[in-house]
Amino acid sequence: MSERKLVGIVLVSHSATVAESVADLARGLVGDGTDVPVAAAGGTEDGRFGTSAALITRAAAEVDQGAGVAVLADLGSAVLTVKALLEDDELPHDIRLLDAPFVEGAIAAAVTAATGADLTAVEAAAGEAYAYRKV
Amino acid sequence: MLDAGFLIRWLTTAAALVEREADRLTELDSPIGDADHGANLRRGFTAVTAALAKEAPATPRAVLQLAGRQLISTVGGASGPLYGTLLRGTGKALGDAAEVSEAEFAAALRAGVEAVMRLGGAAPGDKTMVDALLPAVDALDAGFGAARDAAERGAEATVPLQARKGRASYLGERSVGHQDPGATSAALLIAALADSQEQGEDSTS
């Protein structure tokens, strides 16, 4: 495989199960053998519903290959905690919270990241998922 | 003048009030939230007092930075990043002085409340902590006691409002008729400010 660096993806949900399942789904739908760095940061460290700053920070470090990190979050504290961490520079330097739907955005981000696209392209692809109308 | 010791006393007093009122906060959070506000804040403020007891930061800003960080790390719900941002935003505005005047603190607290409003996107009347915090900073010129009264009135005034932020907003009109738990805990934080000032006066008299 090539040595190219891929944009990392962090999925922050109130539920560990949701974050891990969406991460699995996104990895599975990339499908061309590319190992996209996707990490889940769901629930609190002691297994409750909610958000853990420590899990987010750890997940971001884990997927950071040097090409930037894209974060998707579901609701309330997940969004607010990521924003508060960004404000305090506690996360990798080149990291962005994407304005995107959680599941659809994660898949768009992973598929785009797998092509070796940069963080801006990953962000745009995830954001476009809002435009996909279902009815 | 307010020094690091005063701010440590403020947050320790706030922690005691949160501990005392935790069940009430959770009760308020049951009909319109996810019934964890009291438990979440208790966990956060327990971490704050433990961290302050261990490190005893030397400046007001350092106290607020440390406490804000604990809240963001340990609360697990939206009140963690919101109160964490309130404290850190206030600390940032204070700069690195060892002591600040009450007027400087009032201006810094306003900056902290503005940081909370930016983070959460809440405006007055959305039935959030902002409805207690903003009247409090508006009243701060008249002293901490006046701010305590204004915050308390602001929290009570959230009862007839319809929630436009957070989980309660999904309830629409059914959120009307309940006092907002976030505004209630915000009023506790402001009450702790007045209480710790009064305690300080007692101890020096």
Side-chain angles (χ1 to χ4, degrees):
Chain A
M1 275 302 290
S2 69
E3 297 284 310
R4 66 183 178 163
K5 293 169 177 170
L6 301 179
V7 170
I9 296 164
V10 173
L11 301 176
V12 185
S13 168
H14 279 60
S15 151
T17 316
V18 169
E20 278 154 22
S21 300
V22 174
D24 279 347
L25 181 63
R27 286 188 205 106
L29 292 183
V30 167
D32 65 351
T34 308
D35 203 8
V36 186
V38 181
T44 63
E45 276 186 296
D46 53 358
R48 289 172 294 114
F49 290 130
T51 308
S52 159
L55 289 181
I56 295 168
T57 309
R58 222 175 292 153
E62 193 184 306
V63 299
D64 186 11
Q65 298 187 347
V69 174
V71 183
L72 290 104
D74 60 359
L75 297 162
S77 63
V79 176
L80 296 177
T81 303
V82 174
K83 283 187 173 176
L85 290 172
L86 288 172
E87 187 84 9
D88 213 38
D89 291 333
E90 286 182 31
L91 293 168
H93 182 62
D94 197 7
I95 183 164
R96 277 180 222 168
L97 173 62
L98 305 192
D99 186 17
F102 192 64
V103 178
E104 295 88 336
I107 292 158
V111 171
T112 309
T115 67
D118 66 10
L119 184 54
T120 299
V122 170
E123 180 177 34
E128 278 167 23
Y130 271 134
Y132 170 65
R133 313 308 314 179
K134 293 169 190 177
V135 287
Chain B
M1 295 296 277
L2 309 175
D3 59 6
F6 173 83
L7 291 176
I8 292 173
R9 201 160 70 233
W10 172 33
L11 296 170
T12 309
T13 306
L17 283 181
V18 164
E19 182 65 39
R20 197 185 77 196
E21 301 288 328
D23 291 346
R24 180 171 157 249
L25 292 174
T26 290
E27 230 168 84
L28 290 172
D29 197 34
S30 299
I32 59 170
D34 33 16
D36 60 4
H37 192 52
N40 279 348
L41 279 190
R42 175 191 274 152
R43 190 169 45 249
F45 274 95
T46 301
V48 167
T49 46
L52 291 175
K54 201 170 148 203
E55 291 189 30
T59 64
R61 179 186 184 162
V63 171
L64 295 171
Q65 288 289 119
L66 178 64
R69 196 182 151 71
Q70 294 302 316
L71 292 176
I72 292 169
S73 310
T74 59
V75 168
S79 54
L82 290 167
Y83 281 125
T85 295
L86 175 70
L87 298 186
R88 296 200 306 195
T90 302
K92 206 170 165 188
L94 286 175
D96 290 322
E99 287 188 333
V100 296
S101 69
E102 269 187 47
E104 284 166 333
F105 181 78
L109 192 63
R110 181 179 292 281
V113 173
E114 283 163 1
V116 168
M117 292 170 73
R118 276 198 303 278
L119 181 71
D126 283 351
K127 200 176 178 98
T128 71
M129 58 173 71
V130 170
D131 291 316
L133 292 175
L134 212 51
V137 293
D138 285 342
L140 263 182
D141 284 348
F144 290 166
R148 169 171 56 194
D149 295 343
E152 181 65 33
R153 279 196 305 275
E156 286 164 7
T158 62
V159 173
L161 299 176
Q162 181 170 327
R164 286 197 288 259
K165 286 284 161 192
R167 184 198 172 284
S169 65
Y170 299 132
L171 296 175
E173 286 178 12
R174 278 174 291 153
S175 65
V176 172
H178 302 279
Q179 182 164 323
D180 181 61
T184 309
S185 59
L188 291 181
L189 202 63
I190 301 297
L193 203 50
D195 289 356
S196 47
Q197 188 179 45
E198 286 157 12
Q199 288 163 22
E201 282 161 6
D202 290 347
S203 66
T204 52
S205 62

